[in-house]
């Protein structure tokens, strides 16, 4: 078990260092995005990850579990700025309340996105203000629960009318699959090796 007192040091050791994160071309076939992986220190000394369930009204990734974040907009100076701006728009989390400690590798999704994930630590559960248009619900899921290899398994999901066999986290709430599951898998593999 990794406690809240250890989590920041562990993450700094296992994550890729922060970079300038300048917006570079994703190619004509990719939409560029940045997301925040919020790691929350709980009052009881445990650690949770904050995930969001997207509404059915959003344009992309309807009804899926995700990390807060979104597409690059004109004027964004870097992918980290995109991730923090979009997180504030989606759940009202002020950028200065997050201690960004590193990043994960970039992901290309089957939906045409190139996603740049950044990991940030929150000292406690924040007061949030959810964008009802974008976010259905916010979940705090225990790090230990998600790192339990028994919840990461092959499963079947439906996406755009097609049944897919995917690796996903089945933890007792909405299934976490796709790029979000891949990011979690990458993070947990790094933490297990540390």
């Amino acid at each position: 078990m990794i406690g809240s007192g250890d989590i920041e040091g562990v993450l700094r050791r296992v994550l890729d260092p922060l970079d300038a994160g300048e917006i570079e071309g994703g190619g004509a076939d990719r939409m560029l995005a940045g997301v925040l992986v919020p790691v929350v220190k709980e009052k009881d000394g445990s650690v949770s990850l904050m995930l969001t369930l997207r509404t059915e009204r959003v344009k992309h990734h309807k009804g899926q579990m995700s990390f807060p974040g979104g597409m690059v907009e004109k004027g964004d100076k870097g992918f980290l700025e995109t991730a923090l701006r979009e997180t504030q728009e989606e759940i009202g989390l002020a950028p200065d309340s997050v201690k960004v400690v590193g990043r994960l590798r970039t992901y290309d999704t089957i939906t045409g996105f190139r996603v740049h994930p950044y990991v940030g630590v929150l000292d406690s559960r924040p007061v949030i203000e959810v964008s009802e248009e974008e976010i259905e619900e916010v979940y705090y899921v225990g790090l230990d629960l998600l790192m339990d290899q028994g919840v990461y398994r092959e499963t079947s999901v439906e996406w755009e009318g097609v049944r897919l066999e995917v690796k996903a986290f089945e933890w007792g709430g909405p299934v976490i699959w796709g790029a979000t599951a891949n990011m979690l898998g990458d993070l947990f593999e790094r933490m297990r090796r540390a």
Side-chain angles (χ1 to χ4, degrees):
M1 179 175 147
I2 299 173
S4 60
D6 306 324
I7 190 63
E8 195 174 319
V10 169
L11 291 172
R12 287 188 189 280
R13 284 194 307 275
V14 302
L15 294 171
D16 296 339
L18 291 173
D19 56 11
E22 292 94 2
I23 308 296
E24 76 272 355
D29 62 332
R30 293 278 161 201
M31 295 173 278
L32 303 176
V35 299
L36 181 68
V37 180
V39 177
V40 181
K41 296 178 180 180
E42 298 287 3
K43 288 180 183 177
D44 66 0
S46 66
V47 177
S48 293
L49 294 173
M50 180 196 293
L51 291 114
T52 59
L53 179 63
R54 297 176 60 77
T55 67
E56 294 292 335
R57 296 182 295 280
V58 293
K59 185 174 182 179
H60 302 285
H61 310 117
K62 296 175 188 303
Q64 292 182 16
M65 289 288 280
S66 67
F67 292 115
M71 289 177 43
V72 169
E73 290 183 1
K74 190 174 183 175
D76 286 349
K77 296 179 182 75
F79 294 111
L80 176 57
E81 182 177 315
T82 298
L84 294 173
R85 175 186 53 72
E86 283 284 334
T87 297
Q88 186 167 27
E89 289 175 13
E90 288 182 0
I91 61 171
L93 185 66
D96 62 359
S97 67
V98 181
K99 191 180 308 176
V100 180
V101 294
R103 61 185 173 81
L104 294 166
R105 69 175 179 83
T106 302
Y107 290 86
D108 287 343
T109 70
I110 62 173
T111 54
F113 283 86
R114 178 158 292 154
V115 182
H116 298 260
Y118 293 86
V119 180
V121 177
L122 298 163
D123 286 330
S124 62
R125 288 190 183 192
V127 174
I128 57 173
E129 188 174 323
V130 173
S131 164
E132 293 180 6
E133 183 62 29
E134 295 183 82
I135 304 301
E136 190 70 36
E137 194 163 345
V138 173
Y139 291 88
Y140 295 89
V141 187
L143 179 69
D144 290 334
L145 172 63
L146 288 176
M147 284 188 73
D148 177 350
Q149 298 201 17
V151 302
Y152 188 53
R153 59 179 75 117
E154 286 284 335
T155 193
S156 179
V157 297
E158 187 172 323
W159 176 68
E160 295 192 353
V162 177
R163 180 87 22 217
L164 301 173
E165 295 300 319
V166 297
K167 290 284 273 185
F169 290 86
E170 294 184 313
W171 57 279
V175 174
I176 303 166
W177 66 283
T180 304
N182 290 334
M183 290 174 207
L184 286 173
D186 179 18
L187 176 60
F188 297 158
E189 181 60 33
R190 292 171 187 233
M191 292 174 75
R192 284 186 189 102
R193 286 194 314 251

